[in-house]
Amino acid sequence: MKPKTEKLLANNPNPVLSVDKDGTILYSNEASEPLLQEWGTKIGEKLPSSIEDLVLKTVFRNSPETKEVRVGKRVYLINFYPFPEEGCVNVYGFDISNRAGLEEKLWECEEKYRSIVETANEGVWITDTEAVTTFVNQKMAEMLGYTTEEMIGKSAFDFIYKDDMENLLIRIKSLQTGSKEKGYEMKFCRKDGGIVWSFVSSTPLLDAEEKHIGNMNMHSDITQRKKAEEELKRTNEKLEKWNQETINERQRLYNVLDTLPAMIILLTSDYHIAFANRRFRKRFGDPGGRHCYEYYFGFTQPCEFCESHKVLETGQPHHWEVSGPDGSFYDAYNLPFTDVDGSPMILEMDIDVTEQKKAEERLQESEERYRNIVETANEGISIIDAEERITFVNKQIEDMFGYSSEELVGRPMWDFLSDESKVTIKHTLKKGWENVNESLEIQFMRKDGSVIWTHTNSKSIFDKDGKFLGTLNLHTDITKRKEVEEALKNFEIARKKEIHHRIKNNLQVISSLLDLQAEKFRNRKNINESEVLEAFRESQDRVISMALIHEELYRGEELDKLNFSLYIKELADALFSTYRLGNFDVSLSMDLEENILLDMDTAVPLGIIVNELVSNSLKYAFLNRDKGEIQIKFHKDNNRENRSNIEESKSEEYKTTSFILTISDNGVGISEDLDIKELDSLGLQLVIFLVDQLDGKLELKKGNGTEFIIRFTVVEKNNHQHQRHT
C-alpha cells in the first residue's frame, strides 16, 4: 500500500481493513482496533469463520456484502468490497447511529464505482496469477460477445486466438516479474466464432507485500482499424494487379500491331518512339526509346518539317508525305491515339510508296458531470428517452447532422432516419427498447438532405430503482467507408470496360487506316484487285474479328469471358457482308451451342481461325458457281477421348471442357493429294499456327467440298482457365 494512501486511511475515524481473499488481515487502521478485539484477531491472522465466509462470498460473487456488528454499545455497519485488481477485499465500518444518511452515502459510492467501470470506453479484464478471469466489465464482455458471468472463472487462454497463445504466455511471465506490458496487439475469439483485434495495456497487481497476485488488462477494440488496414492492403494489391493488367493489355496491342503489313510506330507527345512494330524494326532497326528525329535523321531537335504533332493540336487524322534519310518516300498517316493507361499518343503508319510495299498494324450517453468529456469526444453521443424523443446530443452530433442541439432535442428520433433504417430498427427492436444492447449501421438524413452513415452502439439506461429511462447511443461516422465500399464494387467493372472500349476503338482506328490506304491503291488501274488490296482486306478482317471480341466484352456483363456463339454469328454476318459479290447465292447454316463462355486467351485465336476459314470459303470455294452453302458448328465435345488428362485434372481439382468447331462448305474442295501445310496461303498457315497455340488438333476432310474440324480442350481451376490439352 502506498504511503500516502496508508496515511490517509490511518487518519480515517472509521474502521478500515484490507483482507486477503482467504480471510487473512493484511491491514487495519487504529479505528479498527475495537473490531479486531471483538473478533479476537490481529494483522496477519485470519478473521473468525463467520466473517471469513462473507469475504469468500464477496470474492466469489465479485459484489459487495454487508453485515452489522455490535461492539459494546456501538453498532457498526461493515461493508465488504471486492478489489479483484488488488487481489483483496476492503472492509469499511461505519457507526450507523445516523443510518439513513450513511446508507445514502453508501449507495452513491457504489453507484459511482459501477458507473465508472461499466461506462468505460475500454474493456477491463482482471486475471489471477494463473490467468483465470476474476473480473471483466460489460465493455470487455461485449467485445467478445459473452456475458460477464460467462467469462468470470474461465482462463484467458479460453478466449485467445490460437496463434497468440505463445505470445500470451511470454507476456504473463513478464508481468509476474513486475514489468508493465503496454501497447501490444492481440487477437481474441468471439463467442460467435469471429475474431476481435485488441490493443492491450497490462499492469501487474501486487498485494501489500509487493507479491504478484494477478494482472489488470485494458483492452481497446481495434478490429475496424485492422480491417481498414487489410482493405487498404487489398486495394493496393488491386492497383498493382490493374497496373500489371494494363501492361499486359498494352503488350497484347503491341502483338497485334506486330502482325500488320505496314510500318507502324507510336509516338509520345515529346517525340519519343514508345513502340515500333516488327516490319518497322526490320527496315530501320530497333529505335531503343530514342526521339524519332534523332533516330531517323540524327538531329538534336525536332524536325522543322515534321507534321506529326498536328493530330494532337486538331484531334483529327493527318496525312502527309516525308522523305527518309535513305532517299525513300513514305506516305505518313498520323492519327490521335489513346494508350491503355489513358495517355495521349500519335499512331503513325508509314507506307513505302517507292516500292509500294504492304503495310502492317498494331484501372458516442453521459451525465452533466461528464459533459466536457462528451462534448470533445470523437464519437457522436445521443440520449433517447422512453418516448423515443431526443433528450441530449453532443457537439459532434450537431456537426455530423448539420442541426443545432435546439433543433434536435425534443424531436422524435424517427424524424432523422432514412426509410430503410426505420424498417431495420423496427425489425431489430420489435421486442421494445427496455433491454437494448445493439450495434447497428444506420443511415440518417442530414439537414441539407444528404445521407450520413453511422455505426451506432445503443444501450438501455435505468435509474437506481430499475425504471427504464431511455437509451444511450454512440455514433461513429462511417460515411466515407460506405462510399469506399461502393466505389470498390464499381471500380473493377468500370476499369475492365474502359480497357475493352479503348482496345476496340484502337483496333477500329487501325482498320480505318487500312481501309484508307486500300482506297489509295484501289483507284490505280494496274493495282486494282491486286494482292496489295487483298492483303489490306485480309488484315482488316483480322483486326475486325479482334475488335468484335472487345466490343462484345464491353457490352456484356461478363468482362473476362466472351459468349463465343453470339460472337460467331456477328463475325459471320460481317464477313458475308464484305464478300458477297455479284449474283451468286451463298447461304450460311449455323449450329451453335448457346452460352459457351471463353476467355480472351482462347477467344482471340479461335476468332481469327473462324475469320480465316469462312473468308477462305467465301473467296475460293464457289468460283464459277451460282449457289453454295457454308456451315459452322460449335459444341462441347462430350464424347472426346481425353481420359488421362481428365483424370490428371480431377486430381488437381481442375475442370476440363472439350470443344469441337467445324467449318465446312460444299464448294469445289481441295485436291486429295494436296497438303495444306505446303500451301502458299498466309490465312491457312495462320490457322495451323493458331490451332497449335490452342494445343488443339486440326482435321481436314476433302471430297464433296471442304470440312475443317478443330478439337481442343479448356482446363479451368477455381473458375479461371488454366491450361489446354488436346
Side-chain angles (χ1 to χ4, degrees):
M1 186 174 296
K2 295 181 180 180
K4 289 185 178 180
T5 303
E6 186 172 348
K7 183 177 180 181
L8 180 64
L9 296 176
N11 294 329
N12 195 317
N14 295 308
V16 178
L17 299 92
S18 180
V19 184
D20 199 349
K21 57 186 178 183
D22 65 354
T24 301
I25 301 173
L26 302 175
Y27 168 84
S28 72
N29 65 352
E30 185 176 349
S32 303
E33 194 60 26
L35 286 174
L36 297 180
Q37 291 178 2
E38 176 70 20
W39 292 336
T41 187
K42 60 183 177 180
I43 294 176
E45 296 180 354
K46 286 193 174 185
L47 293 166
S49 59
S50 61
I51 307 301
E52 183 183 342
D53 289 341
L54 284 173
V55 172
L56 294 175
K57 185 184 295 185
T58 300
V59 173
F60 177 77
R61 294 181 177 178
N62 194 31
S63 63
E65 294 290 337
T66 303
K67 179 179 179 63
E68 290 184 9
V69 175
R70 181 176 296 276
V71 180
K73 295 182 179 181
R74 290 188 176 185
V75 177
Y76 290 92
L77 180 66
I78 310 300
N79 297 288
F80 299 80
Y81 284 91
F83 279 81
E85 66 271 19
E86 298 292 341
C88 64
V89 173
N90 281 3
V91 182
Y92 303 99
F94 298 93
D95 187 338
I96 60 173
S97 44
N98 189 10
R99 184 169 190 146
L102 289 176
E103 288 180 348
E104 182 65 23
K105 290 180 180 180
L106 178 61
W107 183 86
E108 290 179 355
C109 180
E110 179 182 348
E111 186 65 18
K112 182 176 182 180
Y113 163 76
R114 289 182 178 278
S115 177
I116 291 173
V117 174
E118 294 301 335
T119 61
N121 287 326
E122 292 184 299
V124 180
W125 193 343
I126 300 176
T127 58
D128 63 13
T129 57
E130 302 299 325
V132 174
T133 304
T134 59
F135 174 80
V136 289
N137 68 346
Q138 187 67 26
K139 180 66 176 182
M140 188 70 247
E142 289 174 356
M143 284 173 59
L144 300 185
Y146 291 89
T147 64
T148 56
E149 291 79 6
E150 289 175 319
M151 294 186 65
I152 291 175
K154 289 189 177 180
S155 172
F157 289 97
D158 293 340
F159 306 95
I160 195 71
Y161 188 69
K162 59 181 180 180
D163 292 348
D164 279 349
M165 289 283 188
E166 185 175 350
N167 188 18
L168 181 59
L169 277 172
I170 293 171
R171 297 190 182 279
I172 288 176
K173 290 180 179 179
S174 176
L175 288 165
Q176 288 172 347
T177 65
S179 300
K180 292 186 178 181
E181 290 283 338
K182 294 187 177 181
Y184 60 93
E185 296 177 356
M186 298 195 80
K187 287 189 289 184
F188 295 86
C189 298
R190 285 179 52 83
K191 185 178 182 179
D192 60 10
I195 300 298
V196 173
W197 276 93
S198 177
F199 185 82
V200 188
S201 296
S202 298
T203 303
L205 300 177
L206 308 176
D207 62 13
E209 298 176 356
E210 299 297 316
K211 178 183 177 181
H212 180 249
I213 58 175
N215 306 305
M216 181 171 69
N217 310 280
M218 305 300 292
H219 294 256
S220 296
D221 190 343
I222 59 169
T223 306
Q224 292 303 319
R225 192 198 79 191
K226 299 296 285 187
K227 288 182 178 179
E229 291 173 353
E230 186 64 26
E231 186 64 30
L232 180 59
K233 178 182 177 181
R234 286 195 292 268
T235 300
N236 289 334
E237 289 174 351
K238 287 183 179 181
L239 289 174
E240 290 178 5
K241 181 180 179 182
W242 180 84
N243 289 334
Q244 186 59 48
E245 288 178 353
T246 298
I247 293 172
N248 293 342
E249 293 296 341
R250 182 183 290 113
Q251 186 59 50
R252 193 192 304 277
L253 174 63
Y254 289 172
N255 292 342
V256 172
L257 298 179
D258 252 343
T259 67
L260 300 178
M263 292 184 292
I264 299 175
I265 61 173
L266 290 173
L267 295 175
T268 64
S269 58
D270 59 354
Y271 296 95
H272 274 94
I273 301 176
F275 170 79
N277 74 342
R278 183 183 292 112
R279 179 59 62 90
F280 190 94
R281 298 193 302 272
K282 183 178 180 181
R283 180 67 179 272
F284 296 104
D286 191 345
R290 288 176 286 178
H291 294 92
C292 61
Y293 50 81
E294 61 176 323
Y295 173 65
Y296 276 129
F297 304 102
F299 295 165
T300 59
Q301 297 292 331
C303 307
E304 293 182 0
F305 55 82
C306 181
E307 300 180 17
S308 297
H309 263 236
K310 286 188 177 181
V311 297
L312 297 182
E313 298 168 2
T314 65
Q316 298 297 321
H318 182 66
H319 171 220
W320 59 297
E321 188 177 277
V322 62
S323 59
D326 60 353
S328 299
F329 291 91
Y330 302 89
D331 270 344
Y333 291 86
N334 298 121
L335 290 94
F337 191 85
T338 303
D339 194 6
V340 176
D341 64 3
S343 57
M345 302 184 78
I346 303 167
L347 185 149
E348 180 173 314
M349 182 170 70
D350 296 327
I351 307 297
D352 187 342
V353 295
T354 303
E355 301 178 6
Q356 295 182 352
K357 291 198 172 185
K358 299 177 183 178
E360 291 184 352
E361 241 195 300
R362 359 164 222 331
L363 187 230
Q364 157 189 146
E365 166 196 8
S366 182
E367 298 181 24
E368 186 61 30
R369 59 190 173 189
Y370 302 116
R371 184 172 298 275
N372 290 334
I373 297 175
V374 170
E375 291 300 338
T376 58
N378 291 325
E379 292 86 3
I381 303 174
S382 67
I383 298 177
I384 310 298
D385 66 14
E387 304 300 322
E388 302 177 353
R389 293 186 177 273
I390 300 169
T391 61
F392 171 80
V393 293
N394 68 345
K395 182 64 169 59
Q396 186 68 10
I397 287 288
E398 296 179 2
D399 295 340
M400 289 168 63
F401 287 27
Y403 290 93
S404 66
S405 60
E406 291 78 9
E407 293 175 303
L408 292 166
V409 173
R411 292 179 62 180
M413 68 171 190
W414 305 102
D415 290 356
F416 307 99
L417 291 168
S418 68
D419 292 340
E420 178 183 349
S421 290
K422 288 177 182 177
V423 174
T424 301
I425 293 176
K426 287 178 180 179
H427 177 74
T428 304
L429 304 176
K430 57 186 177 183
K431 294 183 179 180
W433 294 88
E434 285 75 6
N435 292 295
V436 170
N437 188 1
E438 297 288 342
S439 178
L440 299 171
E441 290 186 358
I442 304 176
Q443 189 182 61
F444 290 95
M445 306 303 298
R446 289 172 48 85
K447 186 175 182 178
D448 60 8
S450 62
V451 169
I452 179 171
W453 278 94
T454 72
H455 182 86
T456 300
N457 291 298
S458 298
K459 182 177 178 59
S460 298
I461 53 177
F462 304 86
D463 64 13
K464 65 178 182 178
D465 298 322
K467 179 182 178 182
F468 173 66
L469 299 178
T471 58
L472 171 67
N473 310 282
L474 277 68
H475 310 270
T476 301
D477 189 346
I478 59 169
T479 306
K480 292 296 183 183
R481 192 197 83 193
K482 284 290 188 178
E483 292 173 352
V484 170
E485 289 174 353
E486 184 64 25
L488 286 174
K489 289 179 184 177
N490 299 321
F491 174 77
E492 187 72 7
I493 295 174
R495 181 190 63 77
K496 289 186 177 181
K497 281 185 173 286
E498 179 65 15
I499 288 176
H500 290 308
H501 184 61
R502 289 179 179 174
I503 292 177
K504 180 204 72 173
N505 288 346
N506 290 337
L507 289 171
Q508 288 178 339
V509 166
I510 295 168
S511 176
S512 298
L513 267 175
L514 291 170
D515 190 53
L516 180 62
Q517 184 60 26
E519 285 296 326
K520 178 181 178 69
F521 291 110
R522 188 175 287 113
N523 295 329
R524 302 182 185 180
K525 293 181 179 180
N526 61 331
I527 290 179
N528 194 31
E529 300 301 327
S530 71
E531 292 181 357
V532 174
L533 286 175
E534 189 63 27
F536 273 106
R537 185 161 69 180
E538 289 177 354
S539 295
Q540 192 173 11
D541 289 342
R542 292 166 187 150
V543 172
I544 290 173
S545 74
M546 288 181 280
L548 276 173
I549 288 176
H550 289 282
E551 182 175 7
E552 287 297 320
L553 289 171
Y554 175 73
R555 293 188 305 184
E557 294 182 1
E558 289 280 353
L559 298 176
D560 297 318
K561 293 187 177 182
L562 178 74
N563 188 326
F564 202 74
S565 300
L566 293 178
Y567 167 74
I568 290 177
K569 293 178 183 179
E570 290 200 17
L571 179 59
D573 289 343
L575 290 172
F576 266 66
S577 176
T578 300
Y579 287 96
R580 182 174 288 147
L581 302 173
N583 295 320
F584 74 91
D585 183 14
V586 178
S587 61
L588 174 65
S589 174
M590 290 189 286
D591 181 7
L592 308 174
E593 185 172 336
E594 295 183 356
N595 299 321
I596 293 182
L597 302 178
L598 300 177
D599 71 355
M600 289 284 288
D601 291 338
T602 304
V604 171
L606 201 59
I608 296 177
I609 289 172
V610 173
N611 176 81
E612 298 300 326
L613 294 180
V614 174
S615 299
N616 191 67
S617 292
L618 287 169
K619 288 189 289 185
Y620 306 118
F622 308 108
L623 296 175
N624 302 319
R625 292 194 178 191
D626 295 332
K627 292 184 177 181
E629 181 182 31
I630 297 175
Q631 290 186 334
I632 305 176
K633 300 178 181 179
F634 186 50
H635 294 270
K636 293 177 181 175
D637 190 1
N638 298 319
N639 297 321
R640 189 170 186 188
E641 295 184 0
N642 191 24
R643 302 301 177 192
S644 62
N645 286 329
I646 290 175
E647 291 303 320
E648 177 186 350
S649 296
K650 284 181 178 179
S651 68
E652 299 177 6
E653 298 182 356
Y654 293 162
K655 173 187 175 184
T656 62
T657 308
S658 297
F659 299 93
I660 180 169
L661 171 67
T662 303
I663 299 177
S664 62
D665 63 60
N666 60 356
V668 297
I670 298 177
S671 174
E672 288 288 344
D673 58 353
L674 201 59
D675 187 350
I676 64 168
K677 294 183 179 180
E678 298 179 357
L679 289 176
D680 187 18
S681 168
L682 176 62
L684 292 178
Q685 291 176 7
L686 185 59
V687 170
I688 295 171
F689 170 77
L690 292 175
V691 172
D692 287 341
Q693 182 179 322
L694 289 170
D695 289 340
K697 288 185 178 179
L698 173 63
E699 179 183 352
L700 173 61
K701 291 185 179 181
K702 308 171 186 176
N704 185 18
T706 306
E707 183 177 19
F708 291 89
I709 303 172
I710 301 164
R711 294 181 172 87
F712 63 97
T713 298
V714 174
V715 180
E716 296 178 320
K717 182 179 181 181
N718 296 327
N719 296 323
H720 294 287
Q721 291 185 4
H722 181 71
Q723 63 185 67
R724 303 175 182 86
H725 298 284
T726 60

